[in-house]
Short mmCIF file of all heavy atoms in Angstrom, two decimals:
data_model
loop_
_atom_site.label_atom_id
_atom_site.label_comp_id
_atom_site.label_asym_id
_atom_site.label_seq_id
_atom_site.Cartn_x
_atom_site.Cartn_y
_atom_site.Cartn_z
N LEU X 1 -0.94 -5.22 -8.30
CA LEU X 1 -1.89 -5.99 -9.08
C LEU X 1 -1.58 -5.85 -10.57
O LEU X 1 -1.11 -4.79 -11.01
CB LEU X 1 -3.31 -5.49 -8.82
CG LEU X 1 -3.85 -5.61 -7.41
CD1 LEU X 1 -5.28 -5.06 -7.34
CD2 LEU X 1 -3.82 -7.04 -6.91
N PRO X 2 -1.85 -6.88 -11.35
CA PRO X 2 -1.76 -6.72 -12.80
C PRO X 2 -2.66 -5.57 -13.26
O PRO X 2 -3.75 -5.37 -12.71
CB PRO X 2 -2.25 -8.07 -13.33
CG PRO X 2 -1.98 -9.04 -12.22
CD PRO X 2 -2.20 -8.26 -10.96
N ALA X 3 -2.24 -4.82 -14.25
CA ALA X 3 -2.93 -3.60 -14.66
C ALA X 3 -4.39 -3.86 -15.02
O ALA X 3 -5.28 -3.07 -14.65
CB ALA X 3 -2.20 -2.97 -15.84
N LYS X 4 -4.68 -4.94 -15.73
CA LYS X 4 -6.05 -5.22 -16.14
C LYS X 4 -6.93 -5.53 -14.94
O LYS X 4 -8.08 -5.07 -14.86
CB LYS X 4 -6.06 -6.40 -17.12
CG LYS X 4 -7.44 -6.81 -17.61
CD LYS X 4 -8.10 -5.72 -18.43
CE LYS X 4 -9.38 -6.25 -19.06
NZ LYS X 4 -10.17 -5.15 -19.71
N VAL X 5 -6.42 -6.29 -13.99
CA VAL X 5 -7.18 -6.60 -12.78
C VAL X 5 -7.49 -5.32 -12.01
O VAL X 5 -8.64 -5.05 -11.63
CB VAL X 5 -6.41 -7.59 -11.88
CG1 VAL X 5 -7.13 -7.78 -10.55
CG2 VAL X 5 -6.23 -8.93 -12.59
N GLU X 6 -6.48 -4.50 -11.81
CA GLU X 6 -6.68 -3.27 -11.03
C GLU X 6 -7.66 -2.33 -11.71
O GLU X 6 -8.54 -1.75 -11.06
CB GLU X 6 -5.35 -2.56 -10.82
CG GLU X 6 -5.48 -1.27 -10.01
CD GLU X 6 -4.15 -0.69 -9.58
OE1 GLU X 6 -3.19 -1.46 -9.41
OE2 GLU X 6 -4.10 0.54 -9.41
N SER X 7 -7.56 -2.18 -13.02
CA SER X 7 -8.44 -1.24 -13.71
C SER X 7 -9.90 -1.66 -13.63
O SER X 7 -10.80 -0.81 -13.47
CB SER X 7 -8.02 -1.09 -15.18
OG SER X 7 -8.23 -2.30 -15.90
N GLU X 8 -10.16 -2.95 -13.69
CA GLU X 8 -11.56 -3.41 -13.60
C GLU X 8 -12.11 -3.24 -12.19
O GLU X 8 -13.29 -2.93 -12.01
CB GLU X 8 -11.67 -4.86 -14.07
CG GLU X 8 -11.41 -5.02 -15.55
CD GLU X 8 -11.94 -6.33 -16.11
OE1 GLU X 8 -12.71 -7.03 -15.40
OE2 GLU X 8 -11.59 -6.65 -17.26
N ILE X 9 -11.27 -3.44 -11.18
CA ILE X 9 -11.72 -3.22 -9.80
C ILE X 9 -12.00 -1.74 -9.57
O ILE X 9 -13.00 -1.37 -8.95
CB ILE X 9 -10.67 -3.75 -8.81
CG1 ILE X 9 -10.51 -5.25 -8.94
CG2 ILE X 9 -11.07 -3.38 -7.37
CD1 ILE X 9 -9.34 -5.82 -8.17
N VAL X 10 -11.14 -0.87 -10.07
CA VAL X 10 -11.33 0.57 -9.91
C VAL X 10 -12.64 0.99 -10.57
O VAL X 10 -13.42 1.78 -10.00
CB VAL X 10 -10.13 1.34 -10.51
CG1 VAL X 10 -10.43 2.83 -10.58
CG2 VAL X 10 -8.88 1.09 -9.68
N GLU X 11 -12.92 0.47 -11.74
CA GLU X 11 -14.17 0.81 -12.44
C GLU X 11 -15.39 0.30 -11.67
O GLU X 11 -16.38 1.02 -11.50
CB GLU X 11 -14.16 0.20 -13.85
CG GLU X 11 -15.44 0.49 -14.63
CD GLU X 11 -15.47 -0.19 -15.99
OE1 GLU X 11 -14.43 -0.75 -16.40
OE2 GLU X 11 -16.53 -0.17 -16.64
N ALA X 12 -15.32 -0.94 -11.18
CA ALA X 12 -16.44 -1.50 -10.42
C ALA X 12 -16.66 -0.72 -9.12
O ALA X 12 -17.81 -0.47 -8.72
CB ALA X 12 -16.19 -2.97 -10.13
N HIS X 13 -15.57 -0.33 -8.47
CA HIS X 13 -15.69 0.46 -7.24
C HIS X 13 -16.42 1.77 -7.51
O HIS X 13 -17.31 2.17 -6.74
CB HIS X 13 -14.28 0.72 -6.68
CG HIS X 13 -14.27 1.51 -5.42
ND1 HIS X 13 -14.33 2.90 -5.40
CD2 HIS X 13 -14.20 1.13 -4.11
CE1 HIS X 13 -14.30 3.33 -4.16
NE2 HIS X 13 -14.21 2.28 -3.35
N ALA X 14 -16.09 2.42 -8.61
CA ALA X 14 -16.73 3.69 -8.95
C ALA X 14 -18.22 3.50 -9.20
O ALA X 14 -19.05 4.32 -8.78
CB ALA X 14 -16.05 4.31 -10.17
N ARG X 15 -18.58 2.42 -9.86
CA ARG X 15 -20.00 2.16 -10.15
C ARG X 15 -20.77 1.84 -8.88
O ARG X 15 -21.92 2.26 -8.71
CB ARG X 15 -20.13 1.02 -11.16
CG ARG X 15 -19.60 1.35 -12.53
CD ARG X 15 -19.69 0.16 -13.47
NE ARG X 15 -21.07 -0.25 -13.66
CZ ARG X 15 -21.43 -1.36 -14.30
NH1 ARG X 15 -20.48 -2.17 -14.77
NH2 ARG X 15 -22.69 -1.67 -14.45
N LEU X 16 -20.15 1.07 -7.97
CA LEU X 16 -20.83 0.71 -6.75
C LEU X 16 -21.03 1.93 -5.84
O LEU X 16 -22.10 2.10 -5.24
CB LEU X 16 -20.03 -0.37 -6.00
CG LEU X 16 -20.60 -0.85 -4.66
CD1 LEU X 16 -21.97 -1.49 -4.86
CD2 LEU X 16 -19.65 -1.84 -4.00
N CYS X 17 -20.03 2.77 -5.74
CA CYS X 17 -20.10 3.92 -4.83
C CYS X 17 -20.87 5.09 -5.41
O CYS X 17 -21.37 5.95 -4.67
CB CYS X 17 -18.69 4.35 -4.44
SG CYS X 17 -17.80 3.15 -3.45
N GLY X 18 -20.95 5.18 -6.73
CA GLY X 18 -21.68 6.28 -7.34
C GLY X 18 -21.03 7.62 -7.06
O GLY X 18 -19.80 7.76 -7.13
N ALA X 19 -21.86 8.61 -6.70
CA ALA X 19 -21.36 9.96 -6.49
C ALA X 19 -20.47 10.08 -5.26
O ALA X 19 -19.66 10.99 -5.15
CB ALA X 19 -22.54 10.94 -6.38
N ASP X 20 -20.63 9.13 -4.32
CA ASP X 20 -19.84 9.16 -3.08
C ASP X 20 -18.69 8.17 -3.20
O ASP X 20 -18.81 7.00 -2.85
CB ASP X 20 -20.72 8.81 -1.88
CG ASP X 20 -19.97 8.90 -0.56
OD1 ASP X 20 -18.79 9.30 -0.57
OD2 ASP X 20 -20.56 8.56 0.49
N SER X 21 -17.55 8.64 -3.68
CA SER X 21 -16.42 7.74 -3.93
C SER X 21 -15.83 7.18 -2.65
O SER X 21 -15.09 6.19 -2.69
CB SER X 21 -15.32 8.47 -4.71
OG SER X 21 -14.85 9.59 -3.97
N ASP X 22 -16.17 7.79 -1.51
CA ASP X 22 -15.68 7.31 -0.22
C ASP X 22 -16.77 6.57 0.57
O ASP X 22 -16.65 6.42 1.79
CB ASP X 22 -15.14 8.47 0.62
CG ASP X 22 -13.77 8.92 0.16
OD1 ASP X 22 -13.04 8.10 -0.42
OD2 ASP X 22 -13.44 10.09 0.38
N ALA X 23 -17.80 6.12 -0.11
CA ALA X 23 -18.87 5.37 0.57
C ALA X 23 -18.26 4.17 1.28
O ALA X 23 -17.41 3.47 0.72
CB ALA X 23 -19.91 4.91 -0.43
N PRO X 24 -18.67 3.91 2.53
CA PRO X 24 -18.08 2.79 3.28
C PRO X 24 -18.47 1.44 2.69
O PRO X 24 -19.63 1.22 2.33
CB PRO X 24 -18.64 2.97 4.69
CG PRO X 24 -19.90 3.73 4.50
CD PRO X 24 -19.67 4.64 3.33
N LEU X 25 -17.50 0.55 2.62
CA LEU X 25 -17.70 -0.77 2.03
C LEU X 25 -17.23 -1.85 3.00
O LEU X 25 -16.41 -1.60 3.88
CB LEU X 25 -16.92 -0.90 0.72
CG LEU X 25 -17.20 0.13 -0.37
CD1 LEU X 25 -16.26 -0.09 -1.55
CD2 LEU X 25 -18.66 0.07 -0.82
N ALA X 26 -17.76 -3.05 2.80
CA ALA X 26 -17.23 -4.24 3.46
C ALA X 26 -16.47 -5.04 2.40
O ALA X 26 -16.98 -5.24 1.29
CB ALA X 26 -18.36 -5.08 4.04
N VAL X 27 -15.27 -5.45 2.72
CA VAL X 27 -14.44 -6.25 1.81
C VAL X 27 -14.22 -7.59 2.49
O VAL X 27 -13.61 -7.66 3.57
CB VAL X 27 -13.10 -5.55 1.49
CG1 VAL X 27 -12.29 -6.38 0.51
CG2 VAL X 27 -13.36 -4.16 0.93
N ARG X 28 -14.72 -8.68 1.87
CA ARG X 28 -14.85 -9.96 2.58
C ARG X 28 -14.29 -11.11 1.75
O ARG X 28 -14.59 -11.24 0.56
CB ARG X 28 -16.33 -10.23 2.88
CG ARG X 28 -17.05 -9.05 3.50
CD ARG X 28 -18.55 -9.25 3.57
NE ARG X 28 -18.92 -10.30 4.49
CZ ARG X 28 -20.15 -10.83 4.53
NH1 ARG X 28 -21.07 -10.45 3.68
NH2 ARG X 28 -20.42 -11.78 5.41
N SER X 29 -13.48 -11.93 2.36
CA SER X 29 -12.92 -13.11 1.69
C SER X 29 -14.03 -14.07 1.28
O SER X 29 -15.03 -14.24 1.98
CB SER X 29 -11.95 -13.83 2.61
OG SER X 29 -10.89 -12.99 2.99
N SER X 30 -13.82 -14.73 0.14
CA SER X 30 -14.80 -15.69 -0.37
C SER X 30 -14.05 -16.83 -1.06
O SER X 30 -13.99 -16.90 -2.29
CB SER X 30 -15.77 -15.00 -1.35
OG SER X 30 -16.73 -15.90 -1.86
N ALA X 31 -13.50 -17.73 -0.26
CA ALA X 31 -12.70 -18.83 -0.81
C ALA X 31 -13.60 -19.89 -1.45
O ALA X 31 -14.74 -20.10 -1.04
CB ALA X 31 -11.85 -19.46 0.29
N THR X 32 -13.08 -20.55 -2.46
CA THR X 32 -13.86 -21.59 -3.15
C THR X 32 -14.14 -22.77 -2.24
O THR X 32 -15.09 -23.52 -2.45
CB THR X 32 -13.11 -22.08 -4.40
OG1 THR X 32 -11.79 -22.50 -4.02
CG2 THR X 32 -13.00 -20.98 -5.43
N SER X 33 -13.30 -22.96 -1.22
CA SER X 33 -13.44 -24.13 -0.34
C SER X 33 -14.29 -23.84 0.88
O SER X 33 -14.47 -24.72 1.73
CB SER X 33 -12.05 -24.59 0.11
OG SER X 33 -11.30 -23.50 0.62
N GLU X 34 -14.83 -22.63 1.03
CA GLU X 34 -15.52 -22.28 2.26
C GLU X 34 -17.02 -22.50 2.17
O GLU X 34 -17.61 -22.56 1.09
CB GLU X 34 -15.26 -20.81 2.62
CG GLU X 34 -16.02 -19.80 1.79
CD GLU X 34 -15.72 -18.37 2.20
OE1 GLU X 34 -14.81 -18.16 3.02
OE2 GLU X 34 -16.38 -17.47 1.68
#
């Protein structure tokens, strides 16, 4: 991934998971045409 894209995702992941960095997540496609 481009560095800026990856860094923002890493930061958002940390905020969403909080103290539990391994909190289970769902990762789901969201196409503009769907």
Side-chain angles (χ1 to χ4, degrees):
L1 298 180
K4 179 64 172 172
V5 173
E6 180 170 332
S7 67
E8 292 199 11
I9 296 170
V10 170
E11 179 184 351
H13 181 276
R15 293 177 62 188
L16 179 62
C17 293
D20 183 4
S21 60
D22 283 334
L25 304 176
V27 182
R28 312 170 67 194
S29 300
S30 180
T32 54
S33 51
E34 75 180 8

